Amino acid sequence: MQLLIKYVDKLLSTALTTVMAAILLVVSWQVISRYLLKDPSSVTEELARFLLIWIGMLGAVYAYRTNSHLGLNLLLEKISLKAKRLVLILIQLLVIGFSAIVLVFGGSELMQLSLELQQISAALSVNMGLIYAVMPISGVLLIVYSIANLLALFKGELLDIHTQGTV
Amino acid sequence: MGFTAFVLLLVFFVLLILSVPISFSIGIATLITMLMSMDLTPAATTIAQRMAGGLDSFALLAIPFFVLSGLIMGQGGIAKRLIECAMALIGALPGGLALVNVVSCMLFGAISGSAVAATSAIGSFMLPEMKKQGYDPNFSAAVTAAASTTGLLIPPSNILIIYAIASGGVSIAALFMAGYLPGIMVGLALMVVCYIYAKRKGYPTAACLPLKLVFSKVLAAMPSLFLIFIVIGGIIGGIFTATEAGAIAVFYAMLLSMGVYREVKVTELPALLLKSAETTAIVLLLIGATTAMSWLLSFENIPQTFSDFLLGLSENPIVILLLINLVLILVGAFLDMTPAVLIFTPIFLPVAMQLGMSPLQFGIMMILNLSIGLCSPPVGAVLFVTCAIAKTKLENIIKPLLPLYFSMFVVLMLVTYVPWISEAFPRWLGL
């Protein structure tokens, strides 16, 4: 399990760094192609938007891994260690439930529907089902990390939660 | 509002209090509420689809860029030169260092979109310096926290972009212009408090710098301040969109920090990219989840019902606006600004518009209001950052914060009841 987590960590952070750099280059290319080459690119806007969906979902998994999602953690700071562990276990179970139902199940349904209906994007002509594939993928990753958290919690470890500001 | 709204709110609050991350709380509450009137498959698919749809926006792309440029600028170099420029200009006034702190935060805010970035960038220079000069560290920490919020109103500003999306299409360029005057007013109001406080405490006054040195310090800050012309000028002039301006800000910040000042190494770049992707994703997941919830809210006609209820409370618009402000201040004390804007814009904006307020003015009022919450306990992102830098405890900086809150509240009332403050500048530019 630990080895698996290590590989997933590495893969996820590499993917995010790469997609983030890619998005920066794509939008810059949009400006360059419009002003310097006088030949506005027709695909950059759509490509950047799709990459953003991927950053949003995969990054959400990464933020979950680093325990940095925003939350009202007043209760966790007040209660005993034992109660804290129970609450943290409950949170993992809730996240597993949400990821399984909405992201894995709902996301796969959405993906299949788009693939079957041949829902093709306007500029890049990709099937939207491929874009939506990120939903079940991130769902599975969230479940993997939640299970890893659960194992750690059962072993008696606590999660180090450090939410950060977004503005 | 009925039973549906009750269930939605109840589940959301229980999860929130249990410390479930806000975005998951929203998602789970939406799912459970939908399952009361829908089968599992359509409910799960609808939420997944709304979430993906909520993320699919070119305007949202500006957020990772402004987060990244803020991170790069926060690494040093740029912040230091802005502080030295402010120091040369107003450092010799009574309470000089506190005033310099406020002005540096405003200048940093004018080139970056993040209050947290401003707090850590300006705070880590200014707080030790103020301590050395005999300022009370609690007061200094309070000033830094309050002043950093000016950057949320002064463009570029990530939260204004988030509001533009939550409000369903207010122009980002117009919002950016609308933020200047209120942001500067907050800065001036804070400086008045600092001035009085420093006079009363008899804090030391720095000697005037020779004119030649003043000139060279201002000149040294010019390359950083030039970013204002590129980003804001570019957006206003219609040369590029806010998103493209964000990408350009990243390259300009990279050029300055890596090429000219040489204070950020190329090898540090991947970590900064990853960090900005993480912060962005936290915001994006919230946007995705609230998009699903907003769909449910309007499906159940909840904003309309709520609006009727609120407008039924009083005939007097002044009272209702005051009420909205009080609720928002309370919300802001507990929720981070991004979820607060995403959740409460669809609920309060229709009410404000029925009272004749423009979405532009409402947005500025809301951000200014939530800025007070951002630097007030128990939950305040910039507060935690300043306390960590100043090595002080949260409870110690509440007392020096009180007069600062008061000055922010005065500006909030002006912004609430005088539309001109938010609307004059964008109108003058024809936005």
Side-chain angles (χ1 to χ4, degrees), chain A residues 14-90:
Chain A
T14 313
L16 277 172
T17 313
T18 317
V19 179
M20 188 69 202
I23 238 174
L24 192 60
L25 293 176
V26 168
V27 175
S28 313
W29 180 250
Q30 177 162 314
V31 180
I32 293 170
S33 70
R34 192 165 68 229
Y35 285 106
L36 296 182
L37 307 178
K38 310 273 179 209
D39 176 24
S41 168
S42 58
V43 294
T44 48
E45 180 171 331
E46 200 177 89
L47 181 60
R49 268 177 25 224
F50 291 164
L51 290 175
L52 188 72
I53 300 179
W54 279 69
I55 285 214
M57 293 313 297
L58 293 179
V61 178
Y62 182 79
Y64 184 71
R65 166 68 173 156
T66 56
N67 293 314
S68 13
H69 277 293
L70 291 172
L72 192 71
N73 301 317
L74 300 173
L75 180 76
L76 283 183
E77 289 157 15
K78 293 269 171 341
I79 53 181
S80 69
L81 279 182
K82 206 176 157 192
K84 191 175 171 183
R85 186 165 298 132
L86 280 177
V87 171
L88 286 172
I89 289 174
L90 180 69

Side-chain angles (χ1 to χ4, degrees), chain B residues 106-129:
Chain B
M106 289 164 72
L107 290 177
F108 195 85
I111 55 173
S112 121
S114 151
V116 177
T119 316
S120 51
I122 304 297
S124 49
F125 277 107
M126 288 306 294
L127 289 171
E129 188 59 32

Side-chain angles (χ1 to χ4, degrees), chain A residues 49-50 52-58 60-61 69 95 98-104 106-107 110 128 131-132 134-136 138-139 142, chain B residues 22-31 34 42-57 60 165 281-296:
Chain A
R49 268 177 25 224
F50 291 164
L52 188 72
I53 300 179
W54 279 69
I55 285 214
M57 293 313 297
L58 293 179
V61 178
H69 277 293
V95 170
F98 179 79
S99 308
I101 297 175
V102 171
L103 298 178
V104 179
L110 180 66
M128 287 306 288
I131 310 298
Y132 294 144
V134 74
M135 308 287 287
S138 53
L142 277 171
Chain B
I22 302 172
S23 35
F24 288 98
S25 302
I26 296 172
I28 295 168
T30 307
L31 177 67
M34 278 171 87
T45 319
T46 308
I47 297 179
Q49 189 194 3
R50 297 285 149 184
M51 282 179 76
L55 301 190
D56 190 358
S57 145
L60 273 181
I165 286 161
I282 294 172
V283 175
L284 289 180
L285 190 68
L286 277 165
I287 292 179
T290 38
T291 309
M293 187 180 68
S294 300
W295 177 83
L296 178 67

Side-chain angles (χ1 to χ4, degrees), chain B residues 317-323 325 357 361 365 412-420:
Chain B
I318 295 178
V319 175
I320 295 183
L321 287 178
L322 196 65
L323 214 62
N325 268 312
M357 200 180 229
Q361 189 196 354
M365 179 191 94
L412 173 64
M413 286 299 107
L414 286 170
V415 166
T416 306
Y417 296 113
V418 186
W420 183 87

Side-chain angles (χ1 to χ4, degrees), chain B residues 172-340:
Chain B
I172 292 177
L175 270 172
F176 273 10
M177 288 305 104
Y180 266 122
L181 198 53
I184 293 170
M185 281 169 68
V186 172
L188 290 175
L190 294 174
M191 284 162 78
V192 170
V193 175
C194 291
Y195 183 88
I196 296 171
Y197 189 92
K199 270 245 153 165
R200 207 179 271 174
K201 293 265 173 178
Y203 284 145
T205 304
C208 266
L209 288 178
L211 207 60
K212 211 174 136 192
L213 207 56
V214 171
F215 193 69
S216 79
K217 292 289 182 198
V218 173
L219 208 64
M222 275 304 149
S224 306
L225 293 173
F226 187 63
L227 200 58
I228 301 176
F229 291 94
I230 304 180
V231 171
I232 305 301
I235 298 174
I236 301 307
I239 300 171
F240 34 69
T241 63
T243 301
E244 293 165 350
I248 289 165
V250 169
F251 279 108
Y252 193 80
M254 268 165 34
L255 182 79
L256 276 187
S257 305
M258 294 174 177
V260 183
Y261 301 152
R262 296 186 181 278
E263 296 195 21
V264 179
K265 291 193 212 78
V266 182
T267 45
E268 292 173 57
L269 206 53
L272 294 175
L273 284 168
L274 184 61
K275 180 82 195 142
S276 64
E278 184 192 27
T279 308
T280 306
I282 294 172
V283 175
L284 289 180
L285 190 68
L286 277 165
I287 292 179
T290 38
T291 309
M293 187 180 68
S294 300
W295 177 83
L296 178 67
L297 288 176
S298 44
F299 187 73
E300 300 284 346
N301 217 5
I302 292 170
Q304 186 58 47
T305 322
F306 182 78
S307 164
D308 292 345
F309 164 74
L310 205 60
L311 291 169
L313 284 181
S314 165
E315 297 274 298
N316 190 339
I318 295 178
V319 175
I320 295 183
L321 287 178
L322 196 65
L323 214 62
I324 293 181
N325 268 312
L326 292 178
V327 173
L328 284 177
I329 284 190
L330 202 66
V331 165
F334 286 94
L335 277 189
D336 187 73
M337 204 180 257
T338 306

